[in-house]
Amino acid sequence: MPDTPAAGPRLLAPAQVADLLGIDVGEVISLIEEGRLVGMRVGSPARWRVDEASVASYLDDQAEEARRMALWRQSNAASFPELWGTGAVRNPD
């Protein structure tokens, strides 16, 4: 039997999450309420705590959304000949 207890989820205070994400504490609470971050109220008096893994997942989701938006903008700027590979190229690089 191991001497140390099994590591559970690491919980962060909303202020720590706000510092990591560069946003306001109120925005962190809003992300919890929207379900975009996993949070729970613990202790007495109850205070919000955020699962660290959900912060990493949120950042991954934000990066994927930014990647998709960049591709969308590129596709809107491309001309049909560029996409099909025939005809004149409207905006050469």
Side-chain angles (χ1 to χ4, degrees):
M1 189 173 232
D3 293 333
T4 58
R10 182 163 180 234
L11 301 177
L12 304 172
Q16 292 173 303
V17 176
D19 286 343
L20 286 171
L21 299 179
I23 59 176
D24 190 26
V25 174
E27 291 177 88
V28 172
I29 302 301
S30 294
L31 290 171
I32 294 169
E33 291 171 346
E34 293 170 7
R36 297 177 75 188
L37 288 175
V38 176
M40 59 202 80
R41 295 184 68 116
V42 296
S44 179
R47 298 184 189 270
W48 281 109
R49 294 294 180 255
V50 181
D51 182 18
E52 184 179 38
S54 75
V55 176
S57 177
Y58 172 77
L59 289 173
D60 289 345
D61 291 346
Q62 292 298 102
E64 178 62 17
E65 184 177 337
R67 185 188 72 80
R68 288 181 183 202
M69 289 305 296
L71 290 172
W72 176 255
R73 281 193 227 64
Q74 286 176 351
S75 70
N76 283 338
S79 65
F80 284 111
E82 288 175 315
L83 295 174
W84 292 333
T86 60
V89 176
R90 186 177 62 191
N91 297 320
D93 288 332

PDB file of all heavy atoms in Angstrom, residues 58-88:
ATOM      1  N   TYR A  58     -10.294  23.834 -21.579  1.00  0.00           N
ATOM      2  CA  TYR A  58     -10.835  25.104 -22.065  1.00  0.00           C
ATOM      3  C   TYR A  58      -9.824  25.778 -22.997  1.00  0.00           C
ATOM      4  O   TYR A  58     -10.190  26.256 -24.071  1.00  0.00           O
ATOM      5  CB  TYR A  58     -11.177  26.015 -20.886  1.00  0.00           C
ATOM      6  CG  TYR A  58     -11.561  27.412 -21.289  1.00  0.00           C
ATOM      7  CD1 TYR A  58     -12.821  27.680 -21.807  1.00  0.00           C
ATOM      8  CD2 TYR A  58     -10.665  28.472 -21.160  1.00  0.00           C
ATOM      9  CE1 TYR A  58     -13.175  28.966 -22.192  1.00  0.00           C
ATOM     10  CE2 TYR A  58     -11.010  29.747 -21.534  1.00  0.00           C
ATOM     11  CZ  TYR A  58     -12.264  29.993 -22.049  1.00  0.00           C
ATOM     12  OH  TYR A  58     -12.610  31.269 -22.432  1.00  0.00           O
ATOM     13  N   LEU A  59      -8.545  25.782 -22.604  1.00  0.00           N
ATOM     14  CA  LEU A  59      -7.515  26.390 -23.442  1.00  0.00           C
ATOM     15  C   LEU A  59      -7.369  25.636 -24.766  1.00  0.00           C
ATOM     16  O   LEU A  59      -7.191  26.254 -25.821  1.00  0.00           O
ATOM     17  CB  LEU A  59      -6.180  26.441 -22.700  1.00  0.00           C
ATOM     18  CG  LEU A  59      -6.121  27.453 -21.556  1.00  0.00           C
ATOM     19  CD1 LEU A  59      -4.822  27.293 -20.783  1.00  0.00           C
ATOM     20  CD2 LEU A  59      -6.275  28.869 -22.071  1.00  0.00           C
ATOM     21  N   ASP A  60      -7.454  24.315 -24.729  1.00  0.00           N
ATOM     22  CA  ASP A  60      -7.406  23.519 -25.958  1.00  0.00           C
ATOM     23  C   ASP A  60      -8.583  23.863 -26.868  1.00  0.00           C
ATOM     24  O   ASP A  60      -8.425  24.005 -28.080  1.00  0.00           O
ATOM     25  CB  ASP A  60      -7.408  22.022 -25.645  1.00  0.00           C
ATOM     26  CG  ASP A  60      -6.105  21.535 -25.036  1.00  0.00           C
ATOM     27  OD1 ASP A  60      -5.087  22.264 -25.113  1.00  0.00           O
ATOM     28  OD2 ASP A  60      -6.117  20.427 -24.460  1.00  0.00           O
ATOM     29  N   ASP A  61      -9.770  23.990 -26.277  1.00  0.00           N
ATOM     30  CA  ASP A  61     -10.968  24.349 -27.046  1.00  0.00           C
ATOM     31  C   ASP A  61     -10.819  25.722 -27.683  1.00  0.00           C
ATOM     32  O   ASP A  61     -11.200  25.924 -28.841  1.00  0.00           O
ATOM     33  CB  ASP A  61     -12.213  24.316 -26.171  1.00  0.00           C
ATOM     34  CG  ASP A  61     -12.605  22.924 -25.731  1.00  0.00           C
ATOM     35  OD1 ASP A  61     -12.078  21.946 -26.298  1.00  0.00           O
ATOM     36  OD2 ASP A  61     -13.433  22.811 -24.796  1.00  0.00           O
ATOM     37  N   GLN A  62     -10.253  26.676 -26.942  1.00  0.00           N
ATOM     38  CA  GLN A  62     -10.060  28.028 -27.463  1.00  0.00           C
ATOM     39  C   GLN A  62      -9.063  28.017 -28.617  1.00  0.00           C
ATOM     40  O   GLN A  62      -9.262  28.712 -29.618  1.00  0.00           O
ATOM     41  CB  GLN A  62      -9.582  28.972 -26.357  1.00  0.00           C
ATOM     42  CG  GLN A  62     -10.623  29.252 -25.289  1.00  0.00           C
ATOM     43  CD  GLN A  62     -11.837  29.940 -25.845  1.00  0.00           C
ATOM     44  OE1 GLN A  62     -12.868  29.327 -26.053  1.00  0.00           O
ATOM     45  NE2 GLN A  62     -11.729  31.218 -26.100  1.00  0.00           N
ATOM     46  N   ALA A  63      -7.990  27.241 -28.496  1.00  0.00           N
ATOM     47  CA  ALA A  63      -6.996  27.151 -29.566  1.00  0.00           C
ATOM     48  C   ALA A  63      -7.608  26.527 -30.818  1.00  0.00           C
ATOM     49  O   ALA A  63      -7.353  26.986 -31.939  1.00  0.00           O
ATOM     50  CB  ALA A  63      -5.790  26.345 -29.092  1.00  0.00           C
ATOM     51  N   GLU A  64      -8.411  25.489 -30.643  1.00  0.00           N
ATOM     52  CA  GLU A  64      -9.066  24.843 -31.784  1.00  0.00           C
ATOM     53  C   GLU A  64     -10.045  25.796 -32.457  1.00  0.00           C
ATOM     54  O   GLU A  64     -10.127  25.859 -33.688  1.00  0.00           O
ATOM     55  CB  GLU A  64      -9.782  23.569 -31.334  1.00  0.00           C
ATOM     56  CG  GLU A  64     -10.526  22.845 -32.429  1.00  0.00           C
ATOM     57  CD  GLU A  64      -9.659  22.337 -33.564  1.00  0.00           C
ATOM     58  OE1 GLU A  64      -8.427  22.246 -33.403  1.00  0.00           O
ATOM     59  OE2 GLU A  64     -10.215  22.034 -34.639  1.00  0.00           O
ATOM     60  N   GLU A  65     -10.796  26.553 -31.665  1.00  0.00           N
ATOM     61  CA  GLU A  65     -11.736  27.525 -32.230  1.00  0.00           C
ATOM     62  C   GLU A  65     -10.995  28.595 -33.022  1.00  0.00           C
ATOM     63  O   GLU A  65     -11.417  28.983 -34.114  1.00  0.00           O
ATOM     64  CB  GLU A  65     -12.562  28.167 -31.116  1.00  0.00           C
ATOM     65  CG  GLU A  65     -13.627  29.102 -31.608  1.00  0.00           C
ATOM     66  CD  GLU A  65     -14.485  29.668 -30.491  1.00  0.00           C
ATOM     67  OE1 GLU A  65     -14.573  29.049 -29.421  1.00  0.00           O
ATOM     68  OE2 GLU A  65     -15.068  30.740 -30.699  1.00  0.00           O
ATOM     69  N   ALA A  66      -9.866  29.071 -32.493  1.00  0.00           N
ATOM     70  CA  ALA A  66      -9.069  30.079 -33.203  1.00  0.00           C
ATOM     71  C   ALA A  66      -8.519  29.507 -34.510  1.00  0.00           C
ATOM     72  O   ALA A  66      -8.500  30.192 -35.540  1.00  0.00           O
ATOM     73  CB  ALA A  66      -7.929  30.562 -32.310  1.00  0.00           C
ATOM     74  N   ARG A  67      -8.076  28.245 -34.493  1.00  0.00           N
ATOM     75  CA  ARG A  67      -7.569  27.600 -35.696  1.00  0.00           C
ATOM     76  C   ARG A  67      -8.658  27.501 -36.757  1.00  0.00           C
ATOM     77  O   ARG A  67      -8.442  27.825 -37.929  1.00  0.00           O
ATOM     78  CB  ARG A  67      -7.041  26.204 -35.365  1.00  0.00           C
ATOM     79  CG  ARG A  67      -6.385  25.492 -36.532  1.00  0.00           C
ATOM     80  CD  ARG A  67      -6.060  24.045 -36.204  1.00  0.00           C
ATOM     81  NE  ARG A  67      -7.248  23.205 -36.136  1.00  0.00           N
ATOM     82  CZ  ARG A  67      -7.879  22.705 -37.204  1.00  0.00           C
ATOM     83  NH1 ARG A  67      -7.451  22.979 -38.412  1.00  0.00           N
ATOM     84  NH2 ARG A  67      -8.941  21.936 -37.060  1.00  0.00           N
ATOM     85  N   ARG A  68      -9.850  27.101 -36.334  1.00  0.00           N
ATOM     86  CA  ARG A  68     -10.966  26.973 -37.284  1.00  0.00           C
ATOM     87  C   ARG A  68     -11.381  28.323 -37.852  1.00  0.00           C
ATOM     88  O   ARG A  68     -11.705  28.442 -39.034  1.00  0.00           O
ATOM     89  CB  ARG A  68     -12.157  26.297 -36.615  1.00  0.00           C
ATOM     90  CG  ARG A  68     -11.924  24.834 -36.367  1.00  0.00           C
ATOM     91  CD  ARG A  68     -13.107  24.180 -35.723  1.00  0.00           C
ATOM     92  NE  ARG A  68     -12.823  22.792 -35.440  1.00  0.00           N
ATOM     93  CZ  ARG A  68     -13.739  21.881 -35.269  1.00  0.00           C
ATOM     94  NH1 ARG A  68     -15.018  22.195 -35.347  1.00  0.00           N
ATOM     95  NH2 ARG A  68     -13.394  20.632 -35.015  1.00  0.00           N
ATOM     96  N   MET A  69     -11.382  29.352 -37.014  1.00  0.00           N
ATOM     97  CA  MET A  69     -11.740  30.687 -37.502  1.00  0.00           C
ATOM     98  C   MET A  69     -10.714  31.196 -38.503  1.00  0.00           C
ATOM     99  O   MET A  69     -11.065  31.837 -39.498  1.00  0.00           O
ATOM    100  CB  MET A  69     -11.885  31.669 -36.333  1.00  0.00           C
ATOM    101  CG  MET A  69     -13.110  31.423 -35.480  1.00  0.00           C
ATOM    102  SD  MET A  69     -14.672  31.416 -36.407  1.00  0.00           S
ATOM    103  CE  MET A  69     -14.725  33.079 -37.004  1.00  0.00           C
ATOM    104  N   ALA A  70      -9.428  30.911 -38.265  1.00  0.00           N
ATOM    105  CA  ALA A  70      -8.386  31.320 -39.210  1.00  0.00           C
ATOM    106  C   ALA A  70      -8.580  30.610 -40.552  1.00  0.00           C
ATOM    107  O   ALA A  70      -8.448  31.240 -41.617  1.00  0.00           O
ATOM    108  CB  ALA A  70      -7.004  31.012 -38.639  1.00  0.00           C
ATOM    109  N   LEU A  71      -8.905  29.322 -40.517  1.00  0.00           N
ATOM    110  CA  LEU A  71      -9.167  28.597 -41.757  1.00  0.00           C
ATOM    111  C   LEU A  71     -10.397  29.144 -42.471  1.00  0.00           C
ATOM    112  O   LEU A  71     -10.433  29.238 -43.700  1.00  0.00           O
ATOM    113  CB  LEU A  71      -9.339  27.100 -41.473  1.00  0.00           C
ATOM    114  CG  LEU A  71      -8.073  26.351 -41.067  1.00  0.00           C
ATOM    115  CD1 LEU A  71      -8.417  24.937 -40.628  1.00  0.00           C
ATOM    116  CD2 LEU A  71      -7.081  26.332 -42.205  1.00  0.00           C
ATOM    117  N   TRP A  72     -11.413  29.500 -41.710  1.00  0.00           N
ATOM    118  CA  TRP A  72     -12.633  30.064 -42.297  1.00  0.00           C
ATOM    119  C   TRP A  72     -12.321  31.383 -43.003  1.00  0.00           C
ATOM    120  O   TRP A  72     -12.764  31.623 -44.124  1.00  0.00           O
ATOM    121  CB  TRP A  72     -13.682  30.262 -41.214  1.00  0.00           C
ATOM    122  CG  TRP A  72     -14.921  30.928 -41.699  1.00  0.00           C
ATOM    123  CD1 TRP A  72     -15.304  32.212 -41.473  1.00  0.00           C
ATOM    124  CD2 TRP A  72     -15.943  30.357 -42.510  1.00  0.00           C
ATOM    125  NE1 TRP A  72     -16.500  32.476 -42.088  1.00  0.00           N
ATOM    126  CE2 TRP A  72     -16.912  31.347 -42.740  1.00  0.00           C
ATOM    127  CE3 TRP A  72     -16.120  29.100 -43.067  1.00  0.00           C
ATOM    128  CZ2 TRP A  72     -18.039  31.119 -43.498  1.00  0.00           C
ATOM    129  CZ3 TRP A  72     -17.257  28.884 -43.827  1.00  0.00           C
ATOM    130  CH2 TRP A  72     -18.201  29.885 -44.031  1.00  0.00           C
ATOM    131  N   ARG A  73     -11.516  32.239 -42.340  1.00  0.00           N
ATOM    132  CA  ARG A  73     -11.154  33.510 -42.959  1.00  0.00           C
ATOM    133  C   ARG A  73     -10.346  33.281 -44.239  1.00  0.00           C
ATOM    134  O   ARG A  73     -10.533  33.979 -45.234  1.00  0.00           O
ATOM    135  CB  ARG A  73     -10.371  34.382 -41.976  1.00  0.00           C
ATOM    136  CG  ARG A  73     -11.251  35.080 -40.956  1.00  0.00           C
ATOM    137  CD  ARG A  73     -10.460  36.168 -40.240  1.00  0.00           C
ATOM    138  NE  ARG A  73     -10.590  36.198 -38.812  1.00  0.00           N
ATOM    139  CZ  ARG A  73     -10.212  35.278 -37.931  1.00  0.00           C
ATOM    140  NH1 ARG A  73      -9.646  34.189 -38.302  1.00  0.00           N
ATOM    141  NH2 ARG A  73     -10.388  35.437 -36.640  1.00  0.00           N
ATOM    142  N   GLN A  74      -9.439  32.318 -44.214  1.00  0.00           N
ATOM    143  CA  GLN A  74      -8.649  32.017 -45.402  1.00  0.00           C
ATOM    144  C   GLN A  74      -9.541  31.518 -46.538  1.00  0.00           C
ATOM    145  O   GLN A  74      -9.351  31.901 -47.695  1.00  0.00           O
ATOM    146  CB  GLN A  74      -7.594  30.954 -45.095  1.00  0.00           C
ATOM    147  CG  GLN A  74      -6.436  31.455 -44.289  1.00  0.00           C
ATOM    148  CD  GLN A  74      -5.462  30.334 -43.925  1.00  0.00           C
ATOM    149  OE1 GLN A  74      -5.762  29.158 -44.146  1.00  0.00           O
ATOM    150  NE2 GLN A  74      -4.327  30.700 -43.370  1.00  0.00           N
ATOM    151  N   SER A  75     -10.503  30.690 -46.212  1.00  0.00           N
ATOM    152  CA  SER A  75     -11.375  30.156 -47.259  1.00  0.00           C
ATOM    153  C   SER A  75     -12.259  31.250 -47.838  1.00  0.00           C
ATOM    154  O   SER A  75     -12.580  31.222 -49.027  1.00  0.00           O
ATOM    155  CB  SER A  75     -12.237  29.013 -46.720  1.00  0.00           C
ATOM    156  OG  SER A  75     -13.216  29.492 -45.819  1.00  0.00           O
ATOM    157  N   ASN A  76     -12.648  32.227 -47.036  1.00  0.00           N
ATOM    158  CA  ASN A  76     -13.463  33.329 -47.544  1.00  0.00           C
ATOM    159  C   ASN A  76     -12.641  34.253 -48.443  1.00  0.00           C
ATOM    160  O   ASN A  76     -13.183  34.886 -49.339  1.00  0.00           O
ATOM    161  CB  ASN A  76     -14.066  34.136 -46.397  1.00  0.00           C
ATOM    162  CG  ASN A  76     -15.240  33.444 -45.772  1.00  0.00           C
ATOM    163  OD1 ASN A  76     -15.865  32.595 -46.389  1.00  0.00           O
ATOM    164  ND2 ASN A  76     -15.546  33.790 -44.539  1.00  0.00           N
ATOM    165  N   ALA A  77     -11.338  34.335 -48.210  1.00  0.00           N
ATOM    166  CA  ALA A  77     -10.485  35.207 -49.002  1.00  0.00           C
ATOM    167  C   ALA A  77     -10.029  34.542 -50.296  1.00  0.00           C
ATOM    168  O   ALA A  77      -9.597  35.219 -51.224  1.00  0.00           O
ATOM    169  CB  ALA A  77      -9.266  35.629 -48.184  1.00  0.00           C
ATOM    170  N   ALA A  78     -10.115  33.219 -50.384  1.00  0.00           N
ATOM    171  CA  ALA A  78      -9.660  32.499 -51.573  1.00  0.00           C
ATOM    172  C   ALA A  78     -10.667  32.643 -52.708  1.00  0.00           C
ATOM    173  O   ALA A  78     -11.873  32.717 -52.482  1.00  0.00           O
ATOM    174  CB  ALA A  78      -9.456  31.022 -51.240  1.00  0.00           C
ATOM    175  N   SER A  79     -10.154  32.671 -53.926  1.00  0.00           N
ATOM    176  CA  SER A  79     -11.042  32.707 -55.091  1.00  0.00           C
ATOM    177  C   SER A  79     -11.319  31.276 -55.540  1.00  0.00           C
ATOM    178  O   SER A  79     -10.576  30.359 -55.222  1.00  0.00           O
ATOM    179  CB  SER A  79     -10.393  33.509 -56.219  1.00  0.00           C
ATOM    180  OG  SER A  79      -9.236  32.854 -56.678  1.00  0.00           O
ATOM    181  N   PHE A  80     -12.376  31.074 -56.294  1.00  0.00           N
ATOM    182  CA  PHE A  80     -12.724  29.743 -56.763  1.00  0.00           C
ATOM    183  C   PHE A  80     -11.617  29.115 -57.610  1.00  0.00           C
ATOM    184  O   PHE A  80     -11.321  27.939 -57.454  1.00  0.00           O
ATOM    185  CB  PHE A  80     -14.059  29.745 -57.500  1.00  0.00           C
ATOM    186  CG  PHE A  80     -15.226  29.837 -56.571  1.00  0.00           C
ATOM    187  CD1 PHE A  80     -16.002  30.970 -56.521  1.00  0.00           C
ATOM    188  CD2 PHE A  80     -15.537  28.784 -55.726  1.00  0.00           C
ATOM    189  CE1 PHE A  80     -17.077  31.049 -55.659  1.00  0.00           C
ATOM    190  CE2 PHE A  80     -16.606  28.858 -54.855  1.00  0.00           C
ATOM    191  CZ  PHE A  80     -17.372  30.001 -54.818  1.00  0.00           C
ATOM    192  N   PRO A  81     -10.982  29.862 -58.521  1.00  0.00           N
ATOM    193  CA  PRO A  81      -9.889  29.234 -59.266  1.00  0.00           C
ATOM    194  C   PRO A  81      -8.768  28.736 -58.355  1.00  0.00           C
ATOM    195  O   PRO A  81      -8.166  27.708 -58.621  1.00  0.00           O
ATOM    196  CB  PRO A  81      -9.406  30.349 -60.185  1.00  0.00           C
ATOM    197  CG  PRO A  81     -10.589  31.230 -60.359  1.00  0.00           C
ATOM    198  CD  PRO A  81     -11.316  31.175 -59.034  1.00  0.00           C
ATOM    199  N   GLU A  82      -8.499  29.460 -57.292  1.00  0.00           N
ATOM    200  CA  GLU A  82      -7.473  29.014 -56.356  1.00  0.00           C
ATOM    201  C   GLU A  82      -7.881  27.694 -55.708  1.00  0.00           C
ATOM    202  O   GLU A  82      -7.059  26.800 -55.520  1.00  0.00           O
ATOM    203  CB  GLU A  82      -7.238  30.051 -55.257  1.00  0.00           C
ATOM    204  CG  GLU A  82      -6.520  31.292 -55.723  1.00  0.00           C
ATOM    205  CD  GLU A  82      -6.424  32.343 -54.629  1.00  0.00           C
ATOM    206  OE1 GLU A  82      -7.442  32.589 -53.946  1.00  0.00           O
ATOM    207  OE2 GLU A  82      -5.352  32.905 -54.472  1.00  0.00           O
ATOM    208  N   LEU A  83      -9.150  27.576 -55.368  1.00  0.00           N
ATOM    209  CA  LEU A  83      -9.625  26.365 -54.722  1.00  0.00           C
ATOM    210  C   LEU A  83      -9.651  25.189 -55.680  1.00  0.00           C
ATOM    211  O   LEU A  83      -9.343  24.058 -55.314  1.00  0.00           O
ATOM    212  CB  LEU A  83     -11.019  26.588 -54.136  1.00  0.00           C
ATOM    213  CG  LEU A  83     -11.113  27.612 -53.004  1.00  0.00           C
ATOM    214  CD1 LEU A  83     -12.574  27.837 -52.626  1.00  0.00           C
ATOM    215  CD2 LEU A  83     -10.326  27.145 -51.800  1.00  0.00           C
ATOM    216  N   TRP A  84     -10.035  25.440 -56.938  1.00  0.00           N
ATOM    217  CA  TRP A  84     -10.168  24.358 -57.906  1.00  0.00           C
ATOM    218  C   TRP A  84      -8.858  24.047 -58.616  1.00  0.00           C
ATOM    219  O   TRP A  84      -8.738  23.030 -59.284  1.00  0.00           O
ATOM    220  CB  TRP A  84     -11.238  24.692 -58.926  1.00  0.00           C
ATOM    221  CG  TRP A  84     -12.614  24.724 -58.327  1.00  0.00           C
ATOM    222  CD1 TRP A  84     -13.040  24.044 -57.241  1.00  0.00           C
ATOM    223  CD2 TRP A  84     -13.720  25.469 -58.789  1.00  0.00           C
ATOM    224  NE1 TRP A  84     -14.355  24.321 -56.985  1.00  0.00           N
ATOM    225  CE2 TRP A  84     -14.802  25.204 -57.929  1.00  0.00           C
ATOM    226  CE3 TRP A  84     -13.908  26.350 -59.834  1.00  0.00           C
ATOM    227  CZ2 TRP A  84     -16.041  25.773 -58.091  1.00  0.00           C
ATOM    228  CZ3 TRP A  84     -15.156  26.923 -59.995  1.00  0.00           C
ATOM    229  CH2 TRP A  84     -16.207  26.617 -59.132  1.00  0.00           C
ATOM    230  N   GLY A  85      -7.898  24.966 -58.548  1.00  0.00           N
ATOM    231  CA  GLY A  85      -6.604  24.747 -59.191  1.00  0.00           C
ATOM    232  C   GLY A  85      -6.556  25.077 -60.655  1.00  0.00           C
ATOM    233  O   GLY A  85      -5.629  24.710 -61.352  1.00  0.00           O
ATOM    234  N   THR A  86      -7.562  25.797 -61.185  1.00  0.00           N
ATOM    235  CA  THR A  86      -7.543  26.202 -62.592  1.00  0.00           C
ATOM    236  C   THR A  86      -7.880  27.676 -62.675  1.00  0.00           C
ATOM    237  O   THR A  86      -8.488  28.260 -61.787  1.00  0.00           O
ATOM    238  CB  THR A  86      -8.583  25.422 -63.411  1.00  0.00           C
ATOM    239  OG1 THR A  86      -9.886  25.680 -62.866  1.00  0.00           O
ATOM    240  CG2 THR A  86      -8.308  23.929 -63.384  1.00  0.00           C
ATOM    241  N   GLY A  87      -7.484  28.307 -63.750  1.00  0.00           N
ATOM    242  CA  GLY A  87      -7.807  29.701 -63.962  1.00  0.00           C
ATOM    243  C   GLY A  87      -6.832  30.638 -63.279  1.00  0.00           C
ATOM    244  O   GLY A  87      -5.820  30.236 -62.712  1.00  0.00           O
ATOM    245  N   ALA A  88      -7.135  31.924 -63.350  1.00  0.00           N
ATOM    246  CA  ALA A  88      -6.259  32.964 -62.797  1.00  0.00           C
ATOM    247  C   ALA A  88      -6.399  33.009 -61.272  1.00  0.00           C
ATOM    248  O   ALA A  88      -7.473  32.815 -60.726  1.00  0.00           O
ATOM    249  CB  ALA A  88      -6.623  34.312 -63.388  1.00  0.00           C
TER     250      ALA A  88
END
